[in-house]
Amino acid sequence: MGWSWYGNGDEWKYLDITNDWSGSSLTEWGNILLNHRNGIRNTSKICSIFNVGNGNDNNGQADSKITIEAESGILNGVSVCNSRLGYSGNGYVSGFDNESDSIKAIFNVESAGEYYINVQYASEYGDKYCTLYINDSNKGDKLLKQSTIFTDTYLDTVYLNSGENNIKLQSNWGYYDIDNFTITKK
């Protein structure tokens, strides 16, 4: 059961789901509540009246939001693991310890336009950077703040083509785990 978004004061702060009103960063409790394998994200179902399919191959998800499990991507120098709790899907990708290590995922969107790119990750040993590529174009280094549990963070807003696109994260600093990507229509 979730208690409140944010602002409970010092005595009840442990009940906050986010670290600020914008919701851009989840608290430890918020991440567990939403992203744990038994959390809201992994156990809730879309009411059929709101389920708008578009016929593309994104696991039945509407074009407005696509989740891509990292372990289903093209892995270069990294591997699928399942020892850290709280991942979605069948595992997560780990072993980013060389500069060239990367994960690349190919996906389709029905309509061209701007999309928000988020990643769910864990970076146990301090803040780290990764390099984001969209359709093989370098979008720069992105910060993954220290988190001992899987945390969702915004990476960028990018233009995607109608049809096939790809997203790639390359190691840069390394030593983090990647669980999934979320692509959401702006």
Side-chain angles (χ1 to χ4, degrees):
M1 180 168 125
W3 180 253
S4 76
W5 190 251
Y6 176 76
N8 282 305
D10 291 338
E11 184 178 356
W12 303 101
K13 186 175 182 108
Y14 68 95
L15 296 173
D16 287 346
I17 296 171
T18 68
N19 290 310
D20 57 29
W21 287 111
S22 73
S24 61
S25 172
L26 297 174
T27 64
E28 184 174 357
W29 164 241
N31 193 48
I32 291 169
L33 176 70
L34 298 174
N35 297 320
H36 186 271
R37 76 172 154 259
N38 293 321
I40 293 170
R41 176 187 235 174
N42 295 316
T43 59
S44 63
K45 303 287 182 200
I46 296 174
C47 178
S48 62
I49 195 167
F50 297 111
N51 192 3
V52 182
N54 62 7
N56 67 11
D57 187 23
N58 291 318
N59 299 322
Q61 298 179 57
D63 201 27
S64 62
K65 182 175 181 182
I66 301 165
T67 300
I68 305 162
E69 293 298 334
E71 67 273 15
S72 68
I74 301 164
L75 309 181
N76 179 40
V78 293
S79 59
V80 176
C81 296
N82 59 12
S83 58
R84 182 186 295 274
L85 296 177
Y87 62 86
S88 62
N90 295 317
Y92 57 90
V93 176
S94 191
F96 290 90
D97 53 13
N98 289 308
E99 188 177 300
S100 62
D101 291 346
S102 66
I103 174 171
K104 184 174 188 177
I106 299 170
F107 61 95
N108 292 302
V109 294
E110 187 173 284
S111 58
E114 289 192 310
Y115 288 79
Y116 301 114
I117 307 294
N118 282 49
V119 65
Q120 186 164 298
Y121 73 95
S123 175
E124 189 166 350
Y125 303 107
D127 294 353
K128 303 295 185 335
Y129 286 89
C130 62
T131 305
L132 174 66
Y133 294 84
I134 299 294
N135 294 327
D136 303 317
S137 175
N138 186 330
K139 298 298 180 183
D141 296 339
K142 306 301 176 181
L143 175 64
L144 302 176
K145 294 186 71 62
Q146 180 177 1
S147 177
T148 58
I149 58 177
F150 284 110
T151 301
D152 184 76
T153 194
Y154 165 83
L155 294 178
D156 208 342
T157 301
V158 299
Y159 182 86
L160 297 177
N161 303 312
S162 176
E164 187 174 285
N165 293 272
N166 66 69
I167 182 171
K168 175 180 163 184
L169 283 185
Q170 190 163 328
S171 186
N172 194 316
W173 183 265
Y175 299 99
Y176 47 76
D177 299 328
I178 302 296
D179 185 27
N180 65 47
F181 301 103
T182 305
I183 292 93
T184 308
K185 182 93 170 162
K186 184 173 177 182

